[in-house]
Amino acid sequence: MSEPRKVLITGGLGFVGRALVERFADEGYEVTCADILEAPFRDDVHFLKLDLRDAEAVKQACTGMDSIIHNASLVHTKHNREEDVWAVNLGGTENIITTCKAHSIPKLVYISSASAVYEGEDIEYGDETLPYSSISQAPYADSKIAAEKIVLAFSGTDATQACAIRPHVVFGAGDGRFIPAILDKAEKGKLKRAVGNRDKLSDFTYIDNLVDAVIAAETQLQPGSAASGQAYFITNGEPMAFFDFIEKMLIEVGYPPITGKVPYWLAYSAAAIAESWDTLKGGTLNAEDGLTRFAVRYMVTHHYFNIEKAKRDLGWTPRINLQEGIKRTVQQLGLAKTAA
């Protein structure tokens, strides 16, 4: 009987990371969950406190691994705390690559972002031939672009085959940012108006579909495989207006539909003021609450993607549609309100 493959997952205690840890462990891998914190949640997984900025610690953590799923990053779209964001998102990735070289680790899957190609303008059915954004949108997007570039350039130059997965607006049970922010606003009566005309379409990605894609990518990565050195958009492939999605979630929980509208210029101005005030206070990480200029621009532009390349190269397809994903999220989180 062959030994189980050893995989290290960075950022394994976050929303996406935990889902990856759970699935890889369920699939029979020997999993190491590496995160800046250490909070074990299952007995058959090794939990490791790891700061990606510490090159030597990263090197030691990855000893003997067959694969690395590099998921950890600081998601921060405000225009402050740039040093912290770049140190983790790019510096941490550089340390991962150095480690792959040192240990001749066969496989590296980088969890990137669809924002790598976003320039504040409409993207309709965009595919992987789109160039990287040539303008600065936010430290998060800029640093993810830089990190993805070095991962893909590294693939195949040593013993490591690498690829990048680009999800867009991931949701599901375990989300500590997107869905909670929506529901908190709804509970406080602050989510009665949409930004803009609700005529621009966005892609969304149910968490299980993303995890399926990462498993498929890790499986497919081999010398000479189509996946090596490639980036893949991963979404549900069901674009809809951003606030239509929000409304579906609210209705599933038991809140009323969104009926009003806020002009884009007003929402953008409010976001700019909020960011400026946050910067004056020193900048807060992981506390955006959806009110950033980057997020507001996202709400009023088309950004949906072609997922045919992932279907072809990875043998993957989204198996859970948006409506079912919303329903499962509400059920799993126990969010449904009792009818009055």
Side-chain angles (χ1 to χ4, degrees):
M1 186 175 178
S2 60
E3 291 290 319
R5 290 180 52 76
K6 296 181 179 180
V7 59
L8 180 137
I9 301 171
T10 68
L13 294 179
F15 167 40
V16 172
R18 178 162 179 154
L20 289 168
V21 168
E22 295 273 18
R23 181 73 68 78
F24 272 94
D26 289 345
E27 293 285 335
Y29 288 76
E30 185 177 322
V31 178
T32 295
C33 170
D35 204 293
I36 193 69
L37 303 174
E38 188 176 0
F41 56 82
R42 56 187 287 170
D43 295 336
D44 58 345
V45 170
H46 175 58
F47 291 86
L48 176 68
K49 186 174 182 179
L50 179 66
D51 187 337
L52 288 173
R53 296 168 295 184
D54 186 336
E56 186 57 36
V58 171
K59 188 174 179 180
Q60 291 179 12
C62 296
T63 302
M65 294 297 160
D66 297 303
S67 301
I68 296 177
I69 311 300
H70 183 29
N71 165 70
S73 66
L74 278 177
V75 181
H76 184 73
T77 63
K78 300 172 191 171
H79 289 267
N80 57 37
R81 300 294 293 269
E82 285 92 346
E83 273 191 31
D84 296 308
V85 175
W86 281 90
V88 173
N89 294 359
L90 179 60
T93 302
E94 291 172 336
N95 290 336
I96 289 289
I97 288 174
T98 299
T99 293
C100 286
K101 290 180 181 178
H103 294 312
S104 296
I105 294 172
K107 303 184 182 188
L108 168 61
V109 179
Y110 176 61
I111 311 302
S112 185
S113 169
S115 63
V117 300
Y118 183 64
E119 292 189 323
E121 304 294 335
D122 289 341
I123 296 175
E124 299 179 67
Y125 209 52
D127 64 19
E128 290 81 0
T129 64
L130 286 172
Y132 289 110
S133 174
S134 60
I135 62 175
S136 177
Q137 290 291 319
Y140 169 72
D142 297 346
S143 60
K144 294 294 280 187
I145 289 170
E148 182 184 292
K149 284 181 177 179
I150 64 172
V151 167
L152 298 185
F154 168 63
S155 181
T157 61
D158 202 74
T160 308
Q161 307 301 317
C163 69
I165 299 297
R166 296 172 173 174
H168 190 267
V169 191
V170 185
F171 74 99
D175 172 20
R177 295 168 59 87
F178 178 45
I179 300 301
I182 291 169
L183 297 178
D184 180 63
K185 283 184 170 62
E187 186 66 28
K188 294 175 180 177
K190 296 180 179 179
L191 198 52
K192 298 178 180 179
R193 296 176 176 84
V195 175
N197 294 324
R198 296 172 71 166
D199 58 347
K200 300 291 187 176
L201 305 182
S202 176
D203 261 331
F204 302 87
T205 315
Y206 182 60
I207 182 64
D208 287 18
N209 294 332
L210 170 57
V211 174
D212 286 348
V214 176
I215 290 280
E218 195 278 340
T219 301
Q220 290 293 331
L221 276 178
Q222 303 286 347
S225 76
S228 185
Q230 298 298 308
Y232 296 96
F233 288 116
I234 298 296
T235 76
N236 261 61
E238 302 172 77
M240 69 172 60
F242 182 83
F243 279 95
D244 286 358
F245 174 85
I246 300 302
E247 187 172 79
K248 285 180 180 292
M249 180 69 69
L250 295 180
I251 290 172
E252 186 68 34
V253 173
Y255 288 105
I258 298 169
T259 55
K261 182 175 76 171
V262 176
Y264 164 71
W265 66 266
L266 182 58
Y268 190 84
S269 299
I273 293 169
E275 282 190 58
S276 298
W277 176 241
D278 184 72
T279 299
L280 286 173
K281 295 189 296 180
T284 50
L285 292 171
N286 298 319
E288 296 176 11
D289 201 26
L291 194 60
T292 69
R293 285 170 287 174
F294 183 84
V296 172
R297 278 194 299 269
Y298 247 43
M299 295 173 190
V300 295
T301 52
H302 286 301
H303 37 99
Y304 56 94
F305 302 90
N306 186 330
I307 56 176
E308 291 305 312
K309 181 180 175 183
K311 290 181 177 180
R312 181 187 70 239
D313 290 359
L314 305 181
W316 163 88
T317 191
R319 60 185 172 86
I320 299 171
N321 66 34
L322 273 185
Q323 190 58 53
E324 178 63 20
I326 290 170
K327 183 177 180 180
R328 290 188 183 194
T329 300
V330 171
Q331 289 177 340
Q332 290 165 355
L333 295 177
L335 295 173
K337 294 169 70 68
T338 302

